[in-house]
C-alpha cells in the first residue's frame, strides 16, 4: 500500500549510471518492442527515427543540462484516496511539485548531495574530475533555452586526475566533502577552507580547471587517499567523525579510511562481494554497521568490529531480493535496523535486519528474501538513486533512468509506505479490531 505518487519528468541525457551495460536477451527485447495494451488498444511505440530524434535532442547540447530546485507538497498520511492512484497520469507533470529555481549546469548532473548543516549548499558530480559547489539560494534563476550560458558554480573542488562521476558524500558533522573517481582515489575537501581564505584557494584563470565550468574560485584537497585498484563507485562518511569515511569500487573492495592516521587504508576488505561494488552507506544510529550493494545483486551488512587490517572479515548478513545489480543503499532515519536498496531491476526494496537476526551463515534458498518487508515497484526501469525524507517519516524520493523504455529522460517519484506495513503487529491488529467493532455497531443501527 502506498500513498499517491506525484512524479516529475527529468530530462537528463541517456548516460548510463557509470556501469558497463548489461546485455538483454533476445526474448526480453522482443517483448519490449511488442508493446503493451491499454483499454483494448495497442500503445504505439516510438519509431526508430523518433527515438533517434529524442536521443539527439538530449545529447547535442540543444537542451541545456539543468539543476532544478523545487518545492514539493507531500500528501499527509492516510489521506490519499484510492482514486488518486487510478487517475494518475505519469506523462503529466505533478501539481504537487513546483519549480522554485533552475540553474544551467556545466555538464550532466550525475549525482547531487546537500550539506547537512546547510541544505542550501549542494555539491554535484558531472562528467569531469571536479566537484561543483552551489549556493542554490544565492544563485540567480535561469531559463533553460538554446544557447544559454552555464551558471557559475560558487566553488570548484579540484584534486582528481580523471573523471569523478558518481561517488560523492557530504559530512553530517563538518562542512567536508569526499569524492571518488576513475583515478582510483578518494579525495577529501573542507568547504571551510574557502570561507577562511586559506592559501590553497586560487582563482581560476581562463583555460584552467574544468573548461565546462564558468570561472570561479577553487579549493584543493585536504588529502588524497589511494588504495583502490579500479574506479571508486561510492563513498560515505562516518556519522560520528569527519575524519573517518569508507569507499567501495569496481575492484570489489570495501575500504575504511582514517584521515588522522594516513592516506593509506585503515581497513581493506579485498572481496566484499563477488562482483563490482556500486554503493555504500554508514548507519547513522550505530556507527559500527555499514551496508554495501553490488553487481552480484546482493546487499551485505558489515560490522566494522569484525574487520581487520589484513582484509579479513565476513558480512553479518547477505540480503538477496534483487534480480539485477544493486545501485543504491541507504539506512532509514526512522528506525536503526531499516534500510532501502534500489537496483537495475526497477525495484526499491525496504528491509529490516532485526527481522532476520544477526546470522553469520548464508541464508538458504527458501529464506533468501528474509528481512524484506516492502517493495516499491512504481518505476519502469533501473532505480539509480533514492533518499529518505528525514523530516517526513517513511517518505522516500526515488529516481529512475528510463532511457531503455522511453528513449531518454527519467522519472522522479515521491511516495510513502502505509503505516500498516511498519507499525508493530499488535498495534495494527488492535486497530483492525476497533474498526471491525465500529462496522458491526453501525450495521446494527441500520
Amino acid at each position: 500500500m502506498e500513498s499517491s505518487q506525484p512524479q516529475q519528468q527529468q530530462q537528463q541525457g541517456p548516460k548510463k549510471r557509470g556501469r558497463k551495460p548489461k546485455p538483454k536477451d533476445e526474448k526480453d527485447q522482443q517483448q519490449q518492442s511488442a508493446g503493451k495494451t491499454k483499454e483494448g488498444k495497442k500503445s504505439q511505440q516510438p519509431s526508430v527515427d523518433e527515438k533517434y530524434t529524442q536521443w539527439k535532442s538530449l545529447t547535442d547540447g540543444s537542451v541545456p543540462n539543468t539543476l532544478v530546485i523545487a518545492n514539493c507538497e507531500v500528501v499527509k498520511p492516510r489521506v490519499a484516496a484510492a482514486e488518486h492512484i487510478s487517475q494518475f497520469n505519469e506523462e503529466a507533470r505533478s501539481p504537487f511539485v513546483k519549480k522554485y529555481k533552475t540553474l544551467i549546469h556545466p555538464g550532466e548532473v550525475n549525482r547531487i548531495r546537500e550539506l547537512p548543516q546547510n541544505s542550501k549548499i549542494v555539491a554535484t558530480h558531472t562528467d569531469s574530475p571536479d566537484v561543483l559547489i552551489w549556493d542554490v539560494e544565492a544563485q540567480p534563476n535561469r531559463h533553460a533555452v538554446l544557447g544559454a550560458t552555464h551558471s557559475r558554480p560558487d566553488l570548484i573542488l579540484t584534486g582528481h586526475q580523471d573523471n569523478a562521476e558518481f561517488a560523492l558524500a557530504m559530512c553530517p558533522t563538518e562542512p567536508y566533502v569526499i569524492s571518488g573517481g576513475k583515478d582510483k582515489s578518494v579525495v577529501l575537501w573542507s568547504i571551510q577552507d574557502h570561507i577562511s581564505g586559506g592559501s590553497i584557494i586560487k582563482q581560476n584563470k581562463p583555460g584552467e580547471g574544468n573548461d565546462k565550468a564558468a570561472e570561479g574560485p577553487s579549493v584543493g584537497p585536504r588529502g588524497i587517499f589511494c588504495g583502490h585498484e579500479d574506479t571508486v563507485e561510492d563513498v560515505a562518511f562516518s556519522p560520528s567523525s569527519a575524519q573517518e569515511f569508507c569507499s567501495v569500487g569496481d575492484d570489489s573492495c570495501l575500504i575504511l579510511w582514517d584521515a588522522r592516521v594516513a592516506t593509506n587504508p585503515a581497513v581493506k576488505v579485498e572481496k566484499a562481494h563477488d562482483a563490482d561494488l556500486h554503493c555504500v552507506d554508514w548507519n547513522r544510529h550505530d556507527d559500527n554497521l555499514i551496508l554495501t550493494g553490488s553487481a552480484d545483486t546482493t546487499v551485505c551488512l558489515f560490522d566494522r568490529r569484525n574487520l581487520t587490517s589484513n582484509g579479513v572479515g565476513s558480512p553479518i548478513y547477505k540480503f538477496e531480493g534483487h534480480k539485477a545489480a544493486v545501485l543504491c543503499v541507504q539506512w532509514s532515519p526512522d528506525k536503526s535496523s531499516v534500510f532501502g536498496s534500489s537496483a537495475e531491476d526497477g525495484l526499491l526494496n525496504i528491509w529490516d535486519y532485526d527481522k532476520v537476526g544477526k546470522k553469520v551463515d548464508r541464508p538458504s534458498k527458501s529464506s533468501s528474501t528474509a528481512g524484506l518487508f516492502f517493495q516499491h515497484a512504481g518505476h519502469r526501469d533501473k532505480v539509480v538513486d533514492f533518499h529518505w525524507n528525514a523530516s517526513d517519516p517513511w517518505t522516500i524520493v526515488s529516481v529512475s533512468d528510463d532511457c531503455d523504455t522511453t528513449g531518454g529522460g527519467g522519472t522522479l517519484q515521491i511516495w510513502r509506505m502505509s503505516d500498516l506495513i511498519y507499525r508493530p503487529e499488535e498495534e495494527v491488529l488492535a486497530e483492525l479490531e476497533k474498526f471491525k467493532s465500529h462496522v458491526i455497531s453501525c450495521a446494527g443501527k441500520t
Side-chain angles (χ1 to χ4, degrees), residues 17 19-22 278 322-327 342-347 381-383:
R17 172 125 172 23
R19 318 297 176 209
K20 300 177 179 66
K22 305 293 188 299
H278 290 168
H322 286 289
K323 297 179 180 179
V326 179
L327 300 179
S342 67
E344 289 184 356
D345 58 10
L347 297 176
D381 213 324
K382 60 181 73 71
V383 183

Side-chain angles (χ1 to χ4, degrees), residues 102-317:
T102 299
L103 279 60
I104 309 299
H105 196 272
E108 299 176 2
V109 185
N110 294 331
R111 183 62 61 90
I112 178 171
R113 292 290 182 261
E114 71 175 21
L115 184 66
Q117 303 92 45
N118 184 351
S119 61
K120 296 180 177 62
I121 306 298
V122 301
T124 57
H125 255 327
T126 183
D127 46 353
S128 86
D130 300 334
V131 177
L132 307 181
I133 303 296
W134 307 86
D135 182 341
V136 296
E137 187 68 25
Q139 284 281 337
N141 186 39
R142 302 290 301 280
H143 296 286
V145 296
L146 179 63
T149 58
H150 299 143
S151 297
R152 179 182 183 270
D154 294 277
L155 190 62
I156 301 172
L157 307 183
T158 63
H160 279 294
Q161 301 303 310
D162 201 344
N163 284 1
E165 299 174 339
F166 296 104
L168 181 65
M170 303 189 89
C171 180
T173 58
E174 299 287 342
Y176 284 12
V177 182
I178 49 174
S179 165
K182 291 183 177 180
D183 58 2
K184 309 174 187 178
S185 68
V186 175
V187 183
L188 171 69
W189 298 270
S190 170
I191 298 176
Q192 195 71 32
D193 290 337
H194 168 61
I195 300 171
S196 61
S199 59
I200 60 175
I201 303 169
K202 67 176 183 179
Q203 188 73 27
N204 282 351
K205 297 178 181 178
E208 288 187 349
N210 177 11
D211 56 6
K212 285 192 174 184
E215 292 181 40
S218 65
V219 170
R222 285 280 183 101
I224 299 177
F225 301 82
C226 301
H228 282 285
E229 297 176 3
D230 207 333
T231 300
V232 180
E233 292 285 4
D234 201 14
V235 290
F237 273 102
S238 163
S240 58
S241 172
Q243 303 294 332
E244 294 180 83
F245 40 93
C246 61
S247 60
V248 295
D250 289 346
D251 54 4
S252 302
C253 293
L254 163 65
I255 298 181
L256 276 60
W257 310 87
D258 190 337
R260 297 165 297 190
V261 179
T263 56
N264 297 322
V267 177
K268 183 174 182 178
V269 182
E270 296 279 358
K271 195 72 173 176
H273 283 260
D274 294 329
D276 299 357
L277 271 71
H278 290 168
C279 46
V280 64
D281 195 34
W282 209 315
N283 193 315
R284 70 192 71 187
H285 300 287
D286 183 346
D287 62 5
N288 289 311
L289 301 181
I290 296 173
L291 285 172
T292 57
S294 169
D296 66 7
T297 76
T298 69
V299 175
C300 284
L301 173 62
F302 290 90
D303 187 328
R304 66 170 175 171
R305 293 169 295 188
N306 297 341
L307 307 177
T308 61
S309 58
N310 62 0
V312 176
S314 299
I316 297 175
Y317 202 82

